[in-house]
């Protein structure tokens, strides 16, 4: 995956499991260190190609317990991309999933995402979606900036409902700049009332629900010990030749 990202001239930042070990080549000033990985298992065995990476290790306290995170990236400049910044941004990665949900589920809101049948109209329809999503998010950003809060603390679905109600009013007063400014102020105040409450401290432990049975576990001594077959109650007669 890393090799494919580099081949496409993209940057990467991802978490690696605990069993993967890295050689510490050089420790950097921000606490991260330089290391390397092989593009595949064969290259690692041969000791040939090496991909330089930067490893970031940190601890996050979750519900009173410390959990170790370890990230790898190809962003080597510690001044532009310090370890703390990359660690913080990594935990914001699921915002992309929220954006897809906003586009597909809430903004579209129909079972058939794309109604167009030819490629040109498909691109046009998707471009219209993106423009609509940008307008909503830009309005939420402007409202959050006025209140001095984060735009992520505002409800997208609530803002979408408010904007849908406001569009007919805007269309009626598009030529009157005074009324339009009043409606924009009203729109901003309505969106600011949709602040999301802080999340509750709820956790789901990683446990497995085992099924219980009243029967004992099957062992080797239980094999070939089934009920004998019932004897047939009729005879087969061969026809005389």
């Amino acid at each position: 995956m890393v090799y494919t990202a580099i081949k496409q001239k993209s940057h990467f930042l991802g978490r690696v499991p605990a069993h993967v070990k890295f050689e510490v080549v050089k420790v950097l000033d921000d606490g991260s260190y330089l290391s390397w990985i092989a593009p595949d298992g064969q290259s690692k065995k041969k000791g040939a190609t090496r991909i330089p990476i930067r490893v970031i290790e940190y601890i996050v306290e979750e519900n009173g317990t410390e959990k170790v995170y370890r990230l790898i990236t190809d962003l080597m400049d510690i001044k532009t991309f310090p370890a703390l910044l990359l660690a913080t941004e990594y935990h914001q990665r699921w915002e992309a999933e929220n954006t897809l949900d906003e586009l597909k589920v809430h903004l579209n809101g129909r079972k058939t995402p794309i109604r167009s049948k030819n490629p040109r109209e498909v691109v046009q329809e998707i471009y219209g979606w993106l423009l609509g999503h940008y307008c909503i998010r830009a309005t939420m950003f402007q409202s959050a900036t006025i209140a001095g809060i984060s735009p992520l603390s505002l409800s997208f679905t609530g803002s979408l409902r408010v904007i849908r109600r406001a569009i007919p009013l805007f269309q009626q007063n598009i030529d009157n700049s005074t009324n339009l400014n009043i409606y924009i102020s009203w729109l901003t105040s309505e969106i600011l009332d949709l602040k999301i409450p802080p999340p509750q401290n709820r956790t789901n432990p990683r446990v497995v629900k085992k099924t219980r049975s009243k029967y004992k576990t099957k062992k080797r001594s239980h094999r070939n010990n089934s009920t004998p077959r019932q004897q047939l109650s009729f005879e087969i007669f061969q026809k005389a030749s």
Side-chain angles (χ1 to χ4, degrees), residues 36-208:
W36 60 272
I37 58 173
D40 50 59
Q42 295 181 353
S43 299
K44 185 176 181 180
K45 293 179 181 179
K46 295 179 180 178
T49 308
R50 290 186 175 187
I51 300 177
I53 60 170
R54 177 179 164 208
V55 183
I56 303 172
E57 294 183 354
Y58 57 97
I59 299 176
V60 176
E61 184 177 348
E62 297 180 355
N63 301 324
T65 59
E66 295 183 347
K67 192 173 183 180
V68 179
Y69 282 80
R70 185 170 52 168
L71 311 178
I72 61 172
T73 181
D74 65 328
L75 301 172
M76 303 297 184
D77 190 356
I78 62 175
K79 293 183 178 180
T80 308
F81 307 102
L84 182 59
L85 174 64
L86 295 181
T88 304
E89 292 299 324
Y90 172 76
H91 291 273
Q92 298 292 331
R93 67 195 185 282
W94 293 115
E95 295 300 330
E97 297 291 337
N98 295 336
T99 302
L100 295 177
D101 176 74
E102 294 168 358
L103 282 168
K104 185 177 180 180
V105 179
H106 302 290
L107 187 60
N108 187 358
R110 57 173 182 258
K111 294 183 179 180
T112 305
I114 300 176
R115 297 174 295 182
S116 305
K117 299 299 181 181
N118 59 69
R120 182 181 179 87
E121 294 177 356
V122 168
V123 173
Q124 184 179 8
E125 190 172 350
I126 295 177
Y127 191 68
W129 280 357
L130 297 176
L131 285 177
H133 183 269
Y134 173 79
C135 291
I136 297 172
R137 273 295 176 185
T139 306
M140 294 173 62
F141 177 80
Q142 294 174 357
S143 303
T145 303
I146 295 175
I149 60 177
S150 172
L152 299 179
S153 62
L154 298 177
S155 171
F156 178 85
T157 55
S159 301
L160 177 60
R161 289 193 294 265
V162 170
I163 292 175
R164 282 174 174 171
R165 295 200 309 265
I167 287 177
L169 299 176
F170 286 171
Q171 292 175 341
Q172 296 173 6
N173 297 272
I174 192 66
D175 297 330
N176 192 333
S177 59
T178 304
N179 291 341
L180 190 60
N181 293 331
I182 294 176
Y183 281 121
I184 292 177
S185 300
W186 165 82
L187 181 63
T188 301
S189 62
E190 286 287 322
I191 291 178
L192 289 177
D193 290 338
L194 302 172
K195 189 174 180 180
I196 302 175
Q200 301 179 4
N201 295 326
R202 295 180 296 179
T203 59
N204 293 322
R206 288 190 174 184
V207 294
V208 178

Side-chain angles (χ1 to χ4, degrees), residues 1-10 12 39 51:
M1 213 186 314
V2 169
Y3 178 72
T4 304
I6 295 177
K7 194 174 181 180
Q8 295 179 350
K9 297 181 180 180
S10 302
F12 63 89
I51 300 177

Side-chain angles (χ1 to χ4, degrees), residues 22-28 32-37 50-53 55:
F22 295 102
E23 177 186 355
V24 181
V25 178
K26 181 182 179 181
V27 179
L28 302 178
S32 60
Y33 60 90
L34 301 180
S35 186
W36 60 272
I37 58 173
R50 290 186 175 187
I51 300 177
I53 60 170
V55 183

